[in-house]
Amino acid sequence: MTIEKRPNATADKNAPTQAPDRAPMVSPGTGPKLPGPPGVPGTERFRLLAYVKQESMVRVDKRPDETLLTWPHLLRAEFLMAMLISGLLVVTSLWIQAPLEEMANPAVTPHVAKAPWYFLGLQEILSYFNATVAGVIVPTFYLLGLAAIPFIDRTPFKAARDRKLMWVFFLCLMLGGLLVTLIGSFFRGPGWNWVWPWEGLFFNL
Amino acid sequence: MNAVMRFIKESALWRSLFRQPYPNTSRTRALAVMNNVFLHLHPVRVKRHAVRYTYTFCLGGISFFLFLALTVTGLYLMFFYVPSVSRAYQDIQAIEASVAFGTLVRNMHRWAAHLMVLTVFLHMIRVFYHGAYKPPREFNWVVGVILLFLTLMLSFTGYLLPWDQIAFWAITVGTQMALYAPLLGQESSFFLLGGIQVGQETLLRFYVLHVIAFPLIAAIFMIVHFWRIRKDGGISGPV
Amino acid sequence: MTQHASYGEVHGPRAGEISRRGFMRRMLGVGVGILSLEFLGGTLAFLWPNLTEGLGAEITIGSATDINNAQPEWKNGLPYIYGPANLFIVNVPAAKARVEGDGSVSSPIEDPGTDLDEDLPLADRSVLALWRKCPHLGCQVPQLCDQSQWFECLCHGSKYTVLGEKRDGPAPRGMDGFPVLSVDGVYVVDTSQIVNGPPPGTVTFDQRAPTDMPHCTG
């Protein structure tokens, strides 16, 4: 139930003219008339303007619920995450030793020469295709394709069912990349031959 | 004790640093974020879902935090490292053997670097999932792809620096891919390596790119990235 | 300008003309663009590698006698590994005899001669300088494999004949090499220009298929 207080003197533009020589803003016939002498304190009248249900009330005036203050809510979240990651990093670094092999020697090729892990997908593709295709066209297409996503998909809809094509495209890039990277990382051994992970792991971080 | 604290807090020095009391009202909290150069990367108020861990998983924030951690640990390592074919490997060994906490710092730098590549990828997947590349955020998505590329380049150039067998052959194999470019492939490889094969020139080039050029470029793009988040209306809404 | 008719008269220069201010603005833009390009070009020029030693220079290998002294098997066709520049120096006539004799040579060839012209087919030259960097992904190509008498890259299994022609594996072409000169009987390799290896499918010598014999790598 919403009741609006309408003091005659200030708010009610539909009330009869306060000054006799001034024309009413709305013709008197259209608005409800309020009796009573204008401008006299203690004689204001109240009337029912609208009846608004509770749920819609929330929707109408939702703003205070939508946002939080950055200090402390966001900063607390960030701080906790920073602490968590720092802790994780220190513990990992205490336990797991970063690899360091013998000094670089151009005269001795190791049996397995692999690029860093994020390029192993590319290296895997290089063993399938012509070098120009795999070495240049695929990575260029990959990066440009990623960058072009917002310019291909111009609709404002975000739900997955409204952008099926983009999802397929993106998943192809991601899962395809993941697949060849995994194969290149864990299933390739000396001579780039197929090796099952349990037969030997040829992978360096 | 209280008197000392009061004296400090009422001193001109303190008050020139902190313009308001500890922020514990809405007004002072808003001012604290607005008036601080570091905090003002943030808006004063954020959307409720932006604070939920399960919305963003903090992936962008973690990537940025790892970048900062890498800057600090990398700075430490620089004090003990010379990018020379004859010294680099011995320097790494010395860092591990005789520098206090040297092993820890080197390990942290390496694991944080790998983790950052991973979180940047995951961040991109999260952003795609929420359709957050939609207008008006197209440009910021492109900036993000550039940052992904720079992250890979940062990691790749750093990979050579220990000058061990893993590093040498990984970079040999990795840069050979540049040779396959149909135009100027040979030239670009020659330029990148500073010669025909991986050697002293390559080590110096990769070192300079790794410690200053790429971090600087990445930092500039990060500023743009964060700025655009705010200018495009804050973090995107749920699907 | 007809499409603007409904908005009244169009001010500014007539179609096809350009105002002075517009011209200046455009020239300023062009100037800044040129300046940026110059800056980019200057940066590239400044950072261009400046090689004074090692690969990139003319490298003196030595006379045939020197090579035989350094590696006695050279006269029996086993390529000489010149470490500083990462090269195989192939004694072509001896190497051909070695491959045909399946690893053994009846009459060693001490001095292959000076037929070094780049126009000659690989098999007719006296000496070849093959770069040990595999054209696939840059691994070091090891010495001739005993079982197959081929160069077999350990990294990704590319295989080349003793003349550097590709026979198997993922490499895009045969082994790259450098021109060899003979100065008063001393072999000199000009490493300033890389000669790309022969395209795949080139067969001038050694007709064997990969399945004909055992290999060092898979």
Side-chain angles (χ1 to χ4, degrees):
Chain A
M1 194 78 110
T2 306
I3 294 182
E4 192 177 326
K5 185 184 173 200
R6 309 192 70 181
N8 290 342
T10 55
D12 197 349
K13 287 162 185 157
N14 293 339
T17 50
Q18 291 155 26
D21 55 342
R22 226 174 84 189
M25 293 163 100
V26 180
S27 64
T30 53
K33 288 176 186 158
L34 284 179
V40 181
T43 61
E44 307 103 322
R45 303 288 178 90
F46 296 91
R47 85 187 155 133
L48 182 67
L49 264 186
Y51 178 79
V52 183
K53 280 186 179 171
Q54 182 60 35
E55 312 88 89
S56 45
M57 169 90 171
V58 170
R59 198 174 63 234
V60 166
D61 198 11
K62 200 176 157 194
R63 220 178 320 145
D65 282 343
E66 251 182 3
T67 62
L68 295 170
L69 272 169
T70 295
W71 182 309
H73 298 283
L74 181 60
L75 293 181
R76 183 175 54 206
E78 287 176 348
F79 179 75
L80 287 177
M81 210 33 143
M83 287 300 104
L84 183 71
I85 295 295
S86 308
L88 211 67
L89 202 57
V90 170
V91 170
T92 311
S93 303
L94 285 173
W95 274 358
I96 311 176
Q97 181 60 35
L100 187 70
E101 287 191 353
E102 314 86 73
M103 188 171 161
N105 183 355
V108 179
T109 308
H111 282 270
V112 189
K114 287 189 175 186
W117 63 269
Y118 35 82
F119 287 151
L120 282 181
L122 204 57
Q123 206 181 332
E124 174 68 18
I125 296 170
L126 264 173
S127 65
Y128 303 148
F129 295 110
N130 165 301
T132 314
V133 174
V136 181
I137 296 176
V138 169
T140 311
F141 174 80
Y142 198 90
L143 277 178
L144 288 186
L146 279 179
I149 284 177
F151 304 99
I152 303 169
D153 180 17
R154 299 298 296 168
T155 61
F157 311 115
K158 290 178 174 177
R161 65 176 176 281
D162 293 326
R163 46 188 180 118
K164 288 188 183 120
L165 190 69
M166 267 301 113
W167 263 105
V168 170
F169 176 67
F170 188 74
L171 281 183
C172 278
L173 284 185
M174 288 298 118
L175 294 180
L178 185 68
L179 183 71
V180 287
T181 306
L182 284 179
I183 292 177
S185 301
F186 301 117
F187 295 89
R188 293 293 179 180
W192 209 249
N193 289 318
W194 188 273
V195 171
W196 294 102
W198 53 86
E199 292 171 340
L201 210 51
F202 301 92
F203 181 66
N204 273 314
L205 269 175
Chain B
M1 191 64 203
N2 277 340
V4 174
M5 280 309 287
R6 166 171 256 146
F7 174 77
I8 293 173
K9 286 198 165 178
E10 283 175 1
S11 67
L13 179 64
W14 180 274
R15 285 159 65 111
S16 71
L17 279 171
F18 304 101
R19 305 297 168 96
Q20 70 226 0
Y22 183 82
N24 47 13
T25 65
S26 290
R27 187 185 131 76
T28 48
R29 283 169 169 176
L31 283 173
V33 173
M34 245 187 302
N35 291 343
N36 184 296
V37 67
F38 302 109
L39 294 183
H40 102 286
L41 271 175
H42 298 300
V44 168
R45 300 190 77 92
V46 288
K47 291 173 192 161
R48 190 171 276 273
H49 66 264
V51 178
R52 254 182 23 228
Y53 284 118
T54 48
Y55 182 73
T56 61
F57 294 101
C58 275
L59 287 165
I62 292 175
S63 306
F64 180 57
F65 179 73
L66 287 172
F67 179 78
L68 296 179
L70 283 163
T71 309
V72 173
T73 52
L75 196 70
Y76 282 20
L77 292 173
M78 277 174 75
F79 281 107
F80 294 98
Y81 179 84
V82 177
S84 135
V85 169
S86 54
R87 273 201 62 180
Y89 182 73
Q90 277 78 12
D91 284 349
I92 300 288
Q93 282 182 322
I95 286 173
E96 297 212 325
S98 48
V99 177
F101 299 112
T103 312
L104 179 69
V105 173
R106 171 168 132 78
N107 289 353
M108 281 176 73
H109 195 73
R110 189 154 186 124
W111 300 135
H114 285 311
L115 190 60
M116 185 175 163
V117 174
L118 201 64
T119 54
V120 169
F121 261 107
L122 292 175
H123 174 59
M124 181 177 71
I125 293 169
R126 197 283 294 173
V127 167
F128 181 85
Y129 175 80
H130 284 129
Y133 58 83
K134 297 274 181 175
R137 298 188 174 83
E138 308 105 305
F139 178 65
N140 216 10
W141 170 270
V142 177
V143 173
V145 173
I146 295 172
L147 280 170
L148 168 72
F149 177 73
L150 285 171
T151 308
L152 291 180
M153 283 301 107
L154 270 166
S155 179
F156 186 64
T157 47
Y159 212 79
L160 179 66
L161 302 188
W163 201 248
D164 63 343
Q165 281 288 69
I166 308 174
F168 184 88
W169 291 101
I171 301 307
T172 301
V173 168
T175 49
Q176 184 80 7
M177 292 176 189
L179 271 172
Y180 286 126
L183 281 171
L184 301 176
Q186 208 139 63
E187 281 77 5
S188 58
S189 163
F190 186 66
F191 186 77
L192 210 61
L193 296 183
I196 293 175
Q197 50 191 358
V198 178
Q200 172 60 57
E201 301 300 321
T202 320
L203 184 58
L204 185 57
R205 264 161 206 249
F206 275 42
Y207 177 74
V208 173
L209 290 175
H210 183 75
V211 302
I212 185 71
F214 284 143
L216 204 61
I217 298 171
I220 291 170
F221 275 101
M222 275 180 218
I223 294 170
V224 177
H225 201 58
F226 302 154
W227 178 247
R228 292 253 37 115
I229 295 174
R230 287 197 58 186
K231 291 291 123 178
D232 292 340
I235 189 169
S236 69
V239 172
Chain C
M1 291 289 137
T2 48
Q3 71 269 32
H4 293 306
S6 57
Y7 300 108
E9 193 187 338
V10 177
H11 295 278
R14 267 171 286 157
E17 285 183 14
I18 182 169
S19 72
R20 183 181 297 134
R21 185 172 293 184
F23 175 77
M24 296 303 279
R25 202 184 292 143
R26 203 171 289 182
M27 282 303 106
L28 200 66
V30 169
V32 170
I34 291 175
L35 205 65
S36 313
L37 283 180
E38 281 175 352
F39 182 71
L40 185 70
T43 306
L44 285 177
F46 181 84
L47 295 178
W48 197 255
N50 187 18
L51 290 182
T52 49
E53 55 184 18
L55 270 182
E58 288 202 349
I59 295 173
T60 306
I61 307 291
S63 68
T65 322
D66 297 338
I67 298 178
N68 277 315
N69 288 340
Q71 186 186 306
E73 279 295 292
W74 199 61
K75 56 182 176 293
N76 291 328
L78 194 67
Y80 167 53
I81 293 175
Y82 182 72
N86 210 13
L87 298 173
F88 285 126
I89 307 296
V90 184
N91 178 342
V92 177
K96 280 159 73 178
R98 184 187 180 91
V99 171
E100 279 158 358
D102 204 14
S104 60
V105 178
S106 49
S107 54
I109 298 167
E110 295 269 356
D111 188 352
T114 53
D115 296 326
L116 299 168
D117 200 327
E118 278 185 69
D119 299 332
L120 285 172
L122 291 178
D124 294 345
R125 288 191 220 168
S126 307
V127 170
L128 291 178
L130 296 177
W131 193 13
R132 295 184 65 196
K133 185 173 164 186
C134 178
H136 176 230
L137 283 177
C139 290
Q140 175 130 317
V141 180
Q143 180 61 287
L144 219 54
C145 167
D146 265 344
Q147 289 144 296
S148 61
Q149 298 299 320
W150 279 357
F151 296 118
E152 301 188 356
C153 182
L154 292 172
C155 290
H156 309 107
S158 294
K159 297 180 180 63
Y160 312 89
T161 67
V162 74
L163 302 184
E165 288 170 355
K166 193 198 109 171
R167 285 293 184 272
D168 196 20
R173 59 176 185 272
M175 289 171 75
D176 299 337
F178 300 99
V180 185
L181 320 165
S182 177
V183 182
D184 302 329
V186 170
Y187 296 114
V188 173
V189 178
D190 178 9
T191 55
S192 64
Q193 45 171 339
I194 302 171
V195 181
N196 276 356
T202 312
V203 180
T204 56
F205 171 73
D206 195 349
Q207 319 281 340
R208 295 171 300 164
T211 47
D212 288 355
M213 64 283 192
H215 294 282
C216 293
T217 65

Coordinates of all heavy atoms in Angstrom, one line a residue, chain A residues 169-200:
Chain A
F169 N 32.6 -22.7 -32.7 CA 33.9 -22.1 -33.1 C 34.9 -22.1 -32.0 O 36.1 -22.6 -32.1 CB 33.7 -20.7 -33.7 CG 34.9 -20.0 -34.1 CD1 35.7 -20.5 -35.2 CD2 35.4 -18.9 -33.5 CE1 36.8 -19.8 -35.6 CE2 36.5 -18.2 -33.9 CZ 37.2 -18.7 -35.0
F170 N 34.5 -21.5 -30.9 CA 35.4 -21.3 -29.7 C 35.8 -22.7 -29.1 O 37.0 -22.9 -28.8 CB 34.7 -20.5 -28.6 CG 35.6 -20.1 -27.5 CD1 36.6 -19.1 -27.7 CD2 35.5 -20.7 -26.3 CE1 37.4 -18.7 -26.7 CE2 36.3 -20.3 -25.2 CZ 37.3 -19.3 -25.4
L171 N 34.9 -23.6 -29.0 CA 35.2 -24.9 -28.5 C 36.1 -25.7 -29.4 O 37.0 -26.4 -28.9 CB 33.9 -25.7 -28.2 CG 33.2 -25.4 -27.0 CD1 32.0 -26.3 -26.8 CD2 34.1 -25.4 -25.7
C172 N 35.9 -25.5 -30.7 CA 36.9 -26.1 -31.7 C 38.3 -25.6 -31.4 O 39.2 -26.4 -31.3 CB 36.5 -25.8 -33.1 SG 35.2 -26.9 -33.7
L173 N 38.4 -24.3 -31.3 CA 39.8 -23.7 -31.0 C 40.3 -24.3 -29.7 O 41.5 -24.7 -29.7 CB 39.7 -22.2 -31.0 CG 39.5 -21.4 -32.3 CD1 39.6 -19.9 -32.0 CD2 40.6 -21.8 -33.2
M174 N 39.5 -24.2 -28.7 CA 40.0 -24.6 -27.3 C 40.3 -26.1 -27.2 O 41.4 -26.5 -26.8 CB 39.0 -24.2 -26.3 CG 39.0 -22.7 -26.0 SD 40.5 -22.0 -25.5 CE 40.9 -20.9 -26.8
L175 N 39.3 -26.9 -27.6 CA 39.5 -28.3 -27.4 C 40.5 -28.9 -28.4 O 41.3 -29.7 -28.1 CB 38.1 -29.0 -27.6 CG 37.1 -28.7 -26.5 CD1 35.8 -29.5 -26.7 CD2 37.7 -29.1 -25.1
G176 N 40.5 -28.3 -29.6 CA 41.5 -28.8 -30.6 C 42.9 -28.4 -30.1 O 43.8 -29.3 -30.2
G177 N 43.0 -27.2 -29.6 CA 44.3 -26.8 -29.1 C 44.7 -27.7 -27.9 O 45.9 -28.2 -27.8
L178 N 43.8 -28.0 -27.0 CA 44.1 -28.8 -25.9 C 44.5 -30.2 -26.3 O 45.5 -30.8 -25.8 CB 42.8 -28.9 -25.0 CG 43.0 -29.6 -23.7 CD1 43.9 -28.9 -22.7 CD2 41.6 -29.9 -23.0
L179 N 43.8 -30.7 -27.3 CA 44.0 -32.1 -27.7 C 45.5 -32.2 -28.3 O 46.2 -33.1 -27.9 CB 43.0 -32.5 -28.8 CG 43.2 -34.0 -29.3 CD1 42.7 -34.9 -28.2 CD2 42.3 -34.2 -30.6
V180 N 45.8 -31.4 -29.3 CA 47.1 -31.5 -29.9 C 48.2 -31.2 -28.9 O 49.3 -31.8 -28.9 CB 47.3 -30.6 -31.1 CG1 46.5 -31.2 -32.3 CG2 46.9 -29.2 -30.9
T181 N 47.9 -30.2 -27.9 CA 48.9 -29.9 -26.9 C 49.2 -31.2 -26.0 O 50.3 -31.5 -25.7 CB 48.5 -28.8 -26.0 OG1 48.2 -27.7 -26.9 CG2 49.6 -28.4 -25.1
L182 N 48.1 -31.8 -25.6 CA 48.2 -33.0 -24.8 C 49.0 -34.1 -25.5 O 49.9 -34.8 -24.9 CB 46.8 -33.5 -24.3 CG 46.2 -32.7 -23.2 CD1 44.8 -33.3 -22.9 CD2 47.0 -32.7 -22.0
I183 N 48.6 -34.3 -26.8 CA 49.4 -35.3 -27.6 C 50.8 -35.0 -27.7 O 51.7 -35.8 -27.4 CB 48.7 -35.5 -29.0 CG1 47.3 -36.1 -28.9 CG2 49.6 -36.4 -29.8 CD1 46.6 -36.1 -30.2
G184 N 51.1 -33.7 -28.0 CA 52.5 -33.3 -28.2 C 53.2 -33.4 -26.8 O 54.4 -33.7 -26.8
S185 N 52.5 -33.2 -25.7 CA 53.2 -33.2 -24.4 C 53.5 -34.6 -23.9 O 54.6 -34.9 -23.4 CB 52.4 -32.4 -23.4 OG 52.1 -31.1 -23.8
F186 N 52.5 -35.4 -24.0 CA 52.6 -36.7 -23.2 C 52.7 -37.9 -24.1 O 52.9 -39.0 -23.6 CB 51.4 -36.8 -22.3 CG 51.3 -35.7 -21.3 CD1 50.2 -34.8 -21.3 CD2 52.3 -35.5 -20.4 CE1 50.2 -33.8 -20.4 CE2 52.3 -34.5 -19.5 CZ 51.2 -33.6 -19.5
F187 N 52.4 -37.8 -25.4 CA 52.3 -39.0 -26.2 C 53.4 -39.0 -27.3 O 53.3 -39.8 -28.3 CB 51.0 -39.1 -26.9 CG 49.9 -39.3 -25.9 CD1 49.2 -38.3 -25.3 CD2 49.5 -40.6 -25.5 CE1 48.2 -38.5 -24.4 CE2 48.5 -40.9 -24.6 CZ 47.8 -39.8 -24.0
R188 N 54.4 -38.1 -27.2 CA 55.5 -38.1 -28.2 C 56.8 -38.3 -27.5 O 57.1 -37.6 -26.5 CB 55.4 -36.7 -28.9 CG 54.2 -36.6 -29.8 CD 54.2 -37.5 -30.9 NE 53.0 -37.4 -31.7 CZ 52.7 -38.1 -32.8 NH1 53.6 -39.0 -33.2 NH2 51.6 -37.9 -33.5
G189 N 57.6 -39.1 -28.1 CA 58.9 -39.4 -27.5 C 60.0 -39.2 -28.5 O 59.9 -38.4 -29.4
P190 N 61.1 -39.9 -28.4 CA 62.2 -39.8 -29.3 C 61.8 -39.9 -30.8 O 61.0 -40.8 -31.1 CB 63.2 -40.9 -29.0 CG 62.8 -41.2 -27.6 CD 61.3 -41.0 -27.4
G191 N 62.3 -39.1 -31.6 CA 61.9 -39.1 -33.1 C 60.5 -38.7 -33.3 O 59.9 -39.0 -34.4
W192 N 59.9 -38.1 -32.3 CA 58.5 -37.6 -32.4 C 57.6 -38.8 -32.7 O 56.5 -38.8 -33.3 CB 58.3 -36.6 -33.5 CG 57.2 -35.6 -33.1 CD1 56.0 -35.5 -33.8 CD2 57.1 -34.7 -32.1 NE1 55.2 -34.6 -33.2 CE2 55.8 -34.1 -32.1 CE3 57.9 -34.3 -31.0 CZ2 55.4 -33.1 -31.2 CZ3 57.5 -33.4 -30.1 CH2 56.3 -32.8 -30.2
N193 N 58.0 -40.0 -32.2 CA 57.2 -41.2 -32.3 C 56.2 -41.3 -31.2 O 56.4 -40.8 -30.1 CB 58.1 -42.5 -32.3 CG 58.9 -42.6 -33.6 OD1 58.4 -42.3 -34.7 ND2 60.1 -42.9 -33.5
W194 N 55.1 -42.0 -31.5 CA 54.0 -42.2 -30.5 C 54.6 -43.0 -29.3 O 55.1 -44.1 -29.5 CB 52.8 -42.9 -31.1 CG 51.7 -42.9 -30.2 CD1 51.4 -43.8 -29.2 CD2 50.6 -41.9 -30.1 NE1 50.3 -43.5 -28.6 CE2 49.8 -42.3 -29.1 CE3 50.4 -40.7 -30.8 CZ2 48.6 -41.6 -28.8 CZ3 49.2 -40.0 -30.5 CH2 48.4 -40.4 -29.5
V195 N 54.4 -42.5 -28.1 CA 54.8 -43.2 -26.9 C 53.7 -43.0 -25.9 O 53.2 -41.9 -25.7 CB 56.1 -42.6 -26.3 CG1 56.4 -43.2 -24.9 CG2 57.3 -42.8 -27.2
W196 N 53.3 -44.1 -25.3 CA 52.2 -44.0 -24.3 C 52.9 -43.4 -23.0 O 54.0 -43.7 -22.7 CB 51.6 -45.4 -24.0 CG 50.8 -45.9 -25.1 CD1 51.2 -46.8 -26.0 CD2 49.5 -45.5 -25.6 NE1 50.3 -47.0 -27.0 CE2 49.2 -46.2 -26.7 CE3 48.6 -44.5 -25.1 CZ2 48.0 -46.0 -27.4 CZ3 47.4 -44.3 -25.8 CH2 47.1 -45.1 -26.9
P197 N 52.1 -42.6 -22.3 CA 52.7 -42.0 -21.1 C 53.3 -43.0 -20.1 O 54.2 -42.7 -19.4 CB 51.5 -41.3 -20.4 CG 50.5 -41.1 -21.5 CD 50.7 -42.2 -22.5
W198 N 52.7 -44.2 -20.0 CA 53.3 -45.2 -19.1 C 54.5 -45.9 -19.6 O 55.2 -46.5 -18.8 CB 52.2 -46.2 -18.7 CG 51.6 -46.9 -19.8 CD1 52.0 -48.0 -20.5 CD2 50.4 -46.6 -20.5 NE1 51.2 -48.4 -21.5 CE2 50.2 -47.5 -21.5 CE3 49.4 -45.5 -20.3 CZ2 49.0 -47.4 -22.3 CZ3 48.3 -45.5 -21.1 CH2 48.1 -46.4 -22.1
E199 N 54.8 -45.7 -20.9 CA 56.1 -46.2 -21.4 C 57.3 -45.2 -21.2 O 58.4 -45.6 -21.3 CB 56.0 -46.5 -22.9 CG 55.0 -47.6 -23.2 CD 54.7 -47.8 -24.7 OE1 54.9 -46.8 -25.4 OE2 54.3 -48.8 -25.1
G200 N 56.9 -44.0 -20.8 CA 58.0 -43.0 -20.6 C 57.4 -41.6 -20.8 O 56.6 -41.4 -21.8

